Amino acid sequence: MIDFAILAVFIPTFFFVSVTPGMCMTLSMTLGMTIGVRRSLPMMWGELIGVALVSIASVIGVAAIMLNYPAVFLLLKYLGGGYLFWLGIQMWRSRGKLAIPDNLDEEVDTSPIGLAMQGFVTAIANPKGWAFMISLLPPFINTDNTLVPQLSVLITIILITEFSCLLLYASGGRTLRRFLQQRGNVQMLNRIAGSLMMGVGVWLAAG
């Protein structure tokens, strides 16, 4: 399987990197602010699928092929970043499905599939995520042992850690929403969330 000494180093290392603010965590916090933790779960599932694919690709060598065709990254970055930036503008103007309505008891109709795609695109189109996985995972793989069991354990740890951090950020966004709601600053909340979303879009496109 995998050496416990390796796990003792891998777990805190990945947790530190995962909990550090980034595109996926900022997106999770933004959605936690606007639609709540529970309704943000589809985005998290999509993001986790993307992270799993990036992790597997980083080990089996597909990443090397993609890095030789930067046009693939450029297309994903620009499309994904542009879409997130457009969502941010809508939220900043208190419009669109993700914006909090003036009537805070009003339900926001958000497509789970659309949220999942946001998380998936953000995960797979993040060059920094690819660079991290390419540099982090291979050193923890023992070439003398079977690849599949080792990779399964490491990816399971990655997904559990990533999901925990996504929930943490989404809960923080939910808490911030309640803090601002007490003062009736719905427009301010939308502008903060919209600005964060636009920042994620720019980060994704320019990263």
Side-chain angles (χ1 to χ4, degrees), residues 7-138:
L7 291 180
V9 176
F10 180 79
I11 293 174
T13 298
F14 188 81
F15 175 79
F16 175 76
V17 175
S18 183
V19 79
T20 302
M23 291 190 300
C24 293
M25 297 305 153
T26 303
L27 178 61
S28 183
M29 183 174 67
T30 301
L31 294 179
M33 290 171 61
T34 56
I35 62 176
V37 177
R38 181 179 60 83
R39 298 178 65 190
S40 300
L41 290 176
M43 183 282 295
M44 299 181 193
W45 302 136
E47 195 268 350
L48 293 177
I49 292 173
V51 168
L53 290 177
V54 171
S55 302
I56 295 172
S58 298
V59 173
I60 65 176
V62 175
I65 298 176
M66 293 186 67
L67 290 175
N68 290 326
Y69 298 94
V72 175
F73 275 117
L74 290 176
L75 179 62
L76 289 173
K77 286 199 300 177
Y78 294 149
L79 289 178
Y83 177 62
L84 294 177
F85 191 85
W86 177 80
L87 286 177
I89 293 176
Q90 293 292 93
M91 294 166 65
W92 204 89
R93 299 173 62 190
S94 296
R95 297 180 180 179
K97 293 182 177 181
L98 294 183
I100 298 175
D102 291 332
N103 178 10
L104 295 175
D105 294 326
E106 180 181 331
E107 281 292 320
V108 180
D109 181 19
T110 306
S111 167
I113 295 178
L115 291 173
M117 286 303 300
Q118 287 181 45
F120 181 77
V121 169
T122 301
I124 67 170
N126 181 6
K128 293 181 181 179
W130 282 93
F132 172 73
M133 290 299 181
I134 291 172
S135 62
L136 175 68
L137 278 180

Side-chain angles (χ1 to χ4, degrees), residues 119-193:
F120 181 77
V121 169
T122 301
I124 67 170
N126 181 6
K128 293 181 181 179
W130 282 93
F132 172 73
M133 290 299 181
I134 291 172
S135 62
L136 175 68
L137 278 180
F140 288 96
I141 299 294
N142 188 339
T143 56
D144 295 330
N145 297 331
T146 306
L147 175 62
V148 175
Q150 296 181 79
L151 192 57
S152 300
V153 172
L154 293 179
I155 291 180
T156 299
I157 293 172
I158 288 173
L159 295 183
I160 292 175
T161 303
E162 187 79 358
F163 182 58
S164 300
C165 292
L166 288 170
L167 286 175
L168 179 65
Y169 272 79
S171 299
R174 188 63 172 176
T175 300
L176 180 58
R177 170 189 172 125
R178 290 172 180 170
F179 176 77
L180 293 176
Q181 274 184 296
Q182 293 175 358
R183 291 155 178 77
N185 294 322
V186 176
Q187 186 180 44
M188 180 186 297
L189 177 62
N190 278 326
R191 290 186 174 183
I192 292 174

